[in-house]
Amino acid sequence: MTQHLAAAPAAPTTGTHTGWWRDAVIYQVYPRSFADGNGDGMGDLEGIRSRLPYLRDLGVDAVWLSPFYASPQADAGYDVADYRAIDPMFGTLLDADALIREAHALDLRVIVDLVPNHSSDRHEWFQRALKEGPGSPLRERYHFRPGKGPDGELPPNDWESIFGGPAWTRTADGEWYLHLFAPEQPDFNWEHPAVRDEFRSILRFWLDMGVDGFRVDVAHGLVKAEGLPDIGSHDQLKLLGNDVMPFFDQDGVHEIYRSWNQVLTEYDGDRILVAEAWTPTVERTANYVRPDEMHQAFNFQYLGTHWDAAELRTVIDASLAAMRPVGAPTTWVLSNHDVTRHATRFANPPGLGTQLRTPGDRALGLRRARAASLLMLALPGSAYVYQGEELGLPDVTDLPDEVRQDPSFFRATGQDGYRDGCRVPIPWTASGPSYGFGTGGSWLPQPATWGPLSIESQTGDPASTLELYRSALTIRRTHPALGAGESIEWLQSAPHGVLAFTRRPGFTCTANTTGAPVRLPAPGRLLLSSAEVTVADGMVTLPADTTAWWAV
């Protein structure tokens, strides 16, 4: 039953300005794993609300919440049964209202996940479509098709699920339905006007609740190529005139986001749309953030770049150049709930992908992660921080198979299925039940070594990763050269393997991506460094895998 709430709480006003997202640091909360308010071992909205002061003190500008909607949890909430209800495991709409109000009182904005590519198979529309059978008008809101072969026993086309196996499942009446992810996640048909009307209504529901924006899941997937053609060979794809799969990054998605942009303009304050759009190039990503569409898009090209000066410079230049013509801020991100944490990714040799099964050299990984974080926070635009990365948390790579819950882990092919490793609940205290995550256990087991990585243990330790983040975010907020911007000036005199750039007025960043110390002229007064540096006689020795900030 829908609960009726009072008027939406006001968004933050202190220190805000038009276009707050252009330089915002946005903290991703994965609700299952952030904080448990009722002791049942599962994170929830009350737990998040109780920890909002920590996020304010950390120095972030906004909180992005992964899905908390009513869901059977076949894919950790990315299978939504009711977009206007909170799953009981997370709380109630009243809890959501209290969270939004308190976040705004603390000058934090709130962004919620929106999952428009697919629903749960328990969604009322889909359940009615199954019950009413072939020819039902409800089936037109999804992609139901007859199969191929004499008896329709073959899928309608050769598309494969991202999670592995065919992207089609046959129903008891013989028709097939499309799901680009798990069978429990049927894809909406975005050519149908009822689907478009419904999601504009959902946007207004949450905007009325007071949210400041939406992170749009699979933003590149809503529209499929006309006729749902077979993928076939690469040559056949060229004939289709598409550089990507016919179910991703179709030009038709942009009409949808222009209409959503219009909905947001109906509301006071700066409300935003953020695209999770996996595209082949940053230039294609820029299409999602043209002035009348979305406001930000995740920079996955940057996330996937190795800790290598040449590669980083190439993707930084390309990212800034792609966003400049459309007037959108570039975003920077190193970790999220779908990829191995960068403290583990950088601990392993390049080329192993973004989901890993090995811890690698943890000391090396942490050193590079700290350096990469300072580099990211020095770049122009907006940055995303995934919960726990400010603690230097590694992935948990040795989870027993019997506790894993990633749906792709249980399928023969597709994604590696090791996303659970970055979703283990984070540690708040040095000891106690679930390291302070809650008063009981945790839905995924935490390593016995996590006490020293906890917020309690790292607070006040000037050498800790947490205090490094706190210092960096303080400087980023107060230094006039940092935050929003469109360009940087590379220092051509930087030694091989070192990234060095300036931002006006009066800031220089130097990042040594090599495995050995590098000596170079000190650019100015040291503001902050990811490892201890030595400055003497106008020269600085920058240790291996170290980033330093300088006031010029």
Side-chain angles (χ1 to χ4, degrees):
M1 180 175 68
T2 300
Q3 294 164 280
H4 297 282
L5 304 174
T13 56
T14 304
T16 60
H17 58 275
T18 300
W20 63 269
W21 64 89
R22 292 186 174 275
D23 60 1
V25 176
I26 300 172
Y27 187 98
Q28 181 189 358
V29 166
Y30 193 67
R32 286 172 165 240
S33 303
F34 188 66
D36 173 13
N38 61 8
D40 66 355
M42 183 68 66
D44 49 40
L45 296 182
E46 175 56 28
I48 297 168
R49 188 178 68 83
S50 71
R51 299 294 191 176
L52 289 174
Y54 164 76
L55 298 179
R56 175 203 58 196
D57 295 343
L58 180 62
V60 301
D61 301 290
V63 181
W64 154 35
L65 303 174
S66 292
F68 47 68
Y69 308 109
S71 166
Q73 303 294 318
D75 185 21
Y78 283 93
D79 50 318
V80 181
D82 186 343
Y83 291 85
R84 298 177 181 83
I86 307 296
D87 195 281
M89 69 190 297
F90 297 126
T92 67
L93 277 175
L94 291 174
D95 293 324
D97 179 65
L99 190 160
I100 294 166
R101 290 176 183 274
E102 186 155 336
H104 286 171
L106 294 171
D107 206 20
L108 293 169
R109 297 180 186 264
V110 178
I111 297 170
V112 298
D113 239 309
L114 188 65
V115 189
N117 179 71
H118 47 262
S119 73
S120 165
D121 61 352
R122 307 285 182 86
H123 191 285
E124 178 188 8
W125 285 4
F126 193 77
Q127 286 293 301
R128 286 177 54 195
L130 290 179
K131 182 178 179 180
E132 294 174 8
S136 165
L138 269 298
R139 293 204 174 191
E140 296 175 6
R141 300 181 186 185
Y142 295 89
H143 294 279
F144 281 87
R145 295 288 188 277
K148 293 180 178 179
D151 299 311
E153 71 278 9
L154 300 176
N157 68 23
D158 63 359
W159 294 5
E160 291 189 359
S161 163
I162 303 303
F163 288 165
W168 296 89
T169 289
R170 197 175 193 188
T171 65
D173 54 47
E175 284 198 330
W176 298 73
Y177 68 88
L178 177 68
H179 53 85
L180 293 184
F181 294 89
E184 297 88 353
Q185 296 168 290
D187 279 44
F188 284 116
N189 174 15
W190 273 89
E191 302 301 327
H192 199 290
V195 175
R196 300 192 178 212
D197 290 345
E198 170 68 356
F199 273 88
R200 284 191 291 267
S201 174
I202 292 167
L203 290 175
R204 291 188 175 96
F205 178 88
W206 288 103
L207 290 167
D208 289 340
M209 285 277 289
V211 303
D212 301 288
F214 303 89
R215 176 266 192 187
V216 182
D217 184 63
V218 196
H220 55 300
L222 277 57
V223 173
K224 280 67 173 175
E226 185 177 357
L228 308 184
D230 283 339
I231 292 175
S233 66
H234 183 68
D235 289 341
Q236 186 172 345
L237 276 179
K238 286 184 177 179
L239 292 174
L240 291 171
N242 198 342
D243 292 330
V244 293
M245 296 300 181
F247 47 77
F248 280 152
D249 196 30
Q250 298 291 310
D251 290 338
V253 298
H254 300 291
E255 178 187 349
I256 297 168
Y257 302 136
R258 283 191 287 271
S259 74
W260 289 11
N261 184 293
Q262 288 297 308
V263 171
L264 267 60
T265 63
E266 300 169 8
Y267 290 80
D268 293 335
D270 291 330
R271 318 288 181 108
I272 71 168
L273 297 167
V274 182
E276 184 214 27
W278 291 87
T279 64
T281 65
V282 289
E283 290 76 19
R284 291 289 298 184
T285 300
N287 290 338
Y288 290 79
V289 288
R290 289 174 287 199
D292 59 347
E293 294 188 38
M294 296 198 178
H295 302 79
Q296 288 186 349
F298 287 148
N299 189 344
F300 291 118
Q301 284 79 10
Y302 184 78
L303 183 150
T305 303
H306 302 135
W307 181 240
D308 175 86
E311 288 190 40
L312 285 163
R313 178 167 176 170
T314 296
V315 75
I316 290 168
D317 282 341
S319 300
L320 292 170
M323 296 299 147
R324 201 173 295 124
V326 296
T330 307
T331 65
W332 314 100
V333 61
L334 291 167
S335 290
N336 64 35
H337 65 291
D338 279 334
V339 301
T340 297
R341 291 182 177 276
H342 60 284
T344 296
R345 210 165 61 245
F346 291 150
N348 284 273
L352 295 184
T354 57
Q355 291 187 34
L356 303 178
R357 311 177 192 184
T358 170
D361 183 336
R362 286 184 172 168
L364 174 64
L366 179 59
R367 189 165 71 246
R368 288 177 170 176
R370 288 165 57 94
S373 297
L374 273 197
L375 173 63
M376 174 185 77
L377 292 170
L379 294 169
S382 178
Y384 281 79
V385 173
Y386 177 51
Q387 64 178 44
E389 75 171 68
E390 78 276 18
L391 306 177
L393 292 186
D395 249 49
V396 182
T397 57
D398 58 354
L399 288 170
D401 289 356
E402 59 268 21
V403 306
R404 292 188 178 276
Q405 299 193 30
D406 185 346
S408 61
F409 179 78
F410 302 98
R411 299 172 73 87
T413 57
Q415 292 183 338
D416 289 338
Y418 284 84
R419 296 180 298 175
D420 291 315
C422 66
R423 300 175 177 182
V424 174
I426 66 173
W428 292 86
T429 59
S431 59
S434 62
Y435 299 107
F437 167 67
T439 57
S442 61
W443 68 282
L444 284 173
Q446 300 158 299
T449 57
W450 271 21
L453 296 177
S454 67
I455 292 159
E456 179 183 50
S457 296
Q458 294 197 42
T459 295
D461 177 359
S464 72
T465 302
L466 176 58
E467 293 299 344
L468 177 71
Y469 268 76
R470 285 173 172 162
S471 297
L473 292 176
T474 296
I475 296 171
R476 192 180 193 276
R477 186 184 290 267
T478 56
H479 197 292
L482 295 177
E486 296 182 344
S487 62
I488 57 179
E489 299 175 31
W490 294 107
L491 299 180
Q492 304 302 329
S493 59
H496 177 76
V498 174
L499 288 168
F501 62 85
T502 62
R503 296 188 63 188
R504 299 180 185 276
F507 177 86
T508 293
C509 176
T510 54
N512 178 10
T513 69
T514 73
V518 172
R519 188 170 165 83
L520 66 159
R525 175 175 57 86
L526 182 66
L527 290 172
L528 188 64
S529 60
S530 63
E532 187 173 353
V533 303
T534 302
V535 181
D537 300 326
M539 299 294 289
V540 56
T541 300
L542 202 60
D545 302 309
T546 297
T547 297
W549 289 1
W550 307 86
V552 182

